[in-house]
Amino acid sequence: GDSVTQMEGPVTLSEEAFLTINCTYTATGYPSLFWYVQYPGEGLQLLLKATKADDKGSNKGFEATYRKETTSFHLEKGSVQVSDSAVYFCALRGSGGSNYKLTFGKGTLLTVNP
Amino acid sequence: AAGVIQSPRHLIKEKRETATLKCYPIPRHDTVYWYQQGPGQDPQFLISFYEKMQSDKGSIPDRFSAQQFSDYHSELNMSSLELGDSALYFCASSLVGVHSYEQYFGPGTRLTVT
């Protein structure tokens, strides 16, 4: 079945540091890929998405590129802020039939210190 | 813009009791998904409905049931509650065929079983 493997955390960075959170996936066909962010005590918010190979999703300074050859969708940000502290989930949606459910990675806790 | 509404936001029940969680999707969205997120865990897909019919089923215990009503809201019914059912329950909605079936999440219902 579909699966997502995400870089284990926690990740602690200083403000303005470069962020990379690795994500690789296993799926049949051509899944869509997503990054969700969860702030403390809140729900899941879609951060960015990519629906086909070589697509780059971007939002709020975050970027991720759908790499089919390496089955990866790594999240990057050039300069993190304290307000980026949250849990980040990589997720995929399968491409077959009515399989619209999301499969999530384990999540990566990011803490950014001033 | 209207978001997904979930009620109640917090619920405390004792073992062997029943609980009903409600979800009101974004207006005009035709698909509802339920996810369970245990403490420190990734969200796990439970069940989904498209146009009031069950469309997919995940790791939902037999003690749980769900349905989607004519106004598209959905209810997750949980019986014979166990301590292990304590979790954050998310509802998400989407409009099939639009925006790559992007799912929008509600704030979640935190269920505590004592």
Side-chain angles (χ1 to χ4, degrees), chain A residues 36 46 49 51 100 102 105, chain B residues 35 37 42 100-103:
Chain A
Y36 280 84
L46 178 64
K49 67 183 180 191
T51 58
Y100 303 141
L102 291 173
Chain B
Y35 295 85
Q37 185 181 27
D42 56 301
S100 302
Y101 316 108
E102 191 171 303
Q103 294 184 25

Side-chain angles (χ1 to χ4, degrees), chain A residues 52-87:
Chain A
K52 61 183 187 295
D54 299 324
D55 266 2
K56 177 187 279 188
S58 61
N59 185 28
K60 299 181 181 178
F62 291 89
E63 293 183 339
T65 301
Y66 187 162
R67 302 286 189 200
K68 189 162 179 65
E69 64 275 15
T70 54
T71 60
S72 65
F73 193 55
H74 305 321
L75 182 68
E76 296 183 336
K77 187 174 185 181
S79 176
V80 293
Q81 305 300 312
V82 172
S83 57
D84 294 327
S85 297
V87 179

